[in-house]
């Protein structure tokens, strides 16, 4: 330890190495665990890849942001859950598979502003298909019946 609070400690009997500076940055290698603390930032830079592998979880706290300014972010998982009140896509969303929607606020589960194009399928409302339904005539100039399947 020096006179301003920096220290390096190697404890072979307890299989522990610690490095700490006077500003509070700390690296602690304690047996099979590593703790890194920085009062401000931790920077990792690699010419090719930085890989993180975790047995069960990777946690982030305090309003964290993940940004990729140059490429793509890919998630490969059996399930992805976004536990946020609102998700905003600023570009086109392409869904290659089925889609299920439930819940919603303001009286609607889903709201579409703008045109919707359905190709090779059917829109069904309460068991009545938009393309295949019909109405029964009520006479000249009279309103038709409700839609029939």
């Amino acid at each position: 330890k020096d006179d301003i609070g920096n220290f390096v400690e190697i404890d072979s009997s307890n299989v522990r190495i610690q490095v700490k500076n006077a500003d509070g940055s700390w690296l602690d290698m304690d047996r099979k665990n590593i703790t890194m603390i920085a009062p401000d930032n931790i920077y990792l830079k690699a010419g090719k890849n930085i890989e993180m592998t975790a047995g069960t979880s990777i946690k982030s706290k305090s309003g964290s942001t993940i940004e990729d300014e140059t490429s793509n972010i890919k998630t490969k998982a059996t399930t992805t859950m976004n536990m946020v009140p609102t998700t905003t896509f600023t570009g086109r969303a392409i869904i290659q598979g089925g889609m299920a929607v439930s819940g919603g606020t303001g009286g609607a589960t889903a709201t579409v502003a703008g045109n919707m194009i359905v190709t090779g399928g059917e829109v069904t409302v309460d068991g009545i298909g938009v393309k295949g339904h019909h109405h029964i005539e009520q006479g000249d100039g009279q309103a038709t019946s409700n839609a029939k399947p």
Side-chain angles (χ1 to χ4, degrees):
K1 185 173 181 177
D2 68 13
D3 59 344
I4 63 167
N6 297 307
F7 81 88
V8 175
E9 179 180 71
I10 298 174
D11 182 352
S12 296
S13 62
N14 289 310
V15 192
R16 186 173 188 184
I17 300 171
Q18 294 185 77
V19 178
K20 186 174 183 180
N21 71 17
D23 287 335
S25 294
W26 178 46
L27 174 63
D28 183 10
M29 293 180 280
D30 187 1
R31 295 193 179 271
K32 296 181 180 180
N33 299 303
I34 297 174
T35 302
M36 291 180 8
I37 296 175
D40 289 334
N41 302 298
I42 296 175
Y43 297 98
L44 300 173
K45 185 175 182 178
K48 292 190 178 182
N49 300 306
I50 295 174
E51 182 175 322
M52 291 186 348
T53 303
T56 56
S57 68
I58 297 173
K59 295 182 180 180
S60 175
K61 296 181 181 179
S62 303
S64 301
T65 299
I66 298 174
E67 276 186 34
D68 185 315
E69 297 177 0
T70 62
S71 190
N72 300 307
I73 295 176
K74 293 181 182 180
T75 302
K76 292 183 179 183
T78 54
T79 302
T80 300
M81 180 180 290
N82 294 318
M83 298 173 63
V84 296
T86 302
T87 300
T88 301
F89 296 92
T90 59
R92 184 175 170 191
I94 299 172
I95 300 170
Q96 297 177 332
M99 183 172 73
V101 179
S102 63
T105 59
T109 300
T111 302
V112 176
N115 298 325
M116 181 183 293
I117 298 170
V118 176
T119 304
E122 172 67 288
V123 176
T124 303
V125 179
D126 294 333
I128 299 173
V130 172
K131 292 187 334 187
H133 80 278
H134 68 280
H135 298 265
I136 298 174
E137 181 183 354
Q138 302 297 312
D140 287 342
Q142 299 297 314
T144 60
S145 70
N146 291 333
K148 304 291 180 190

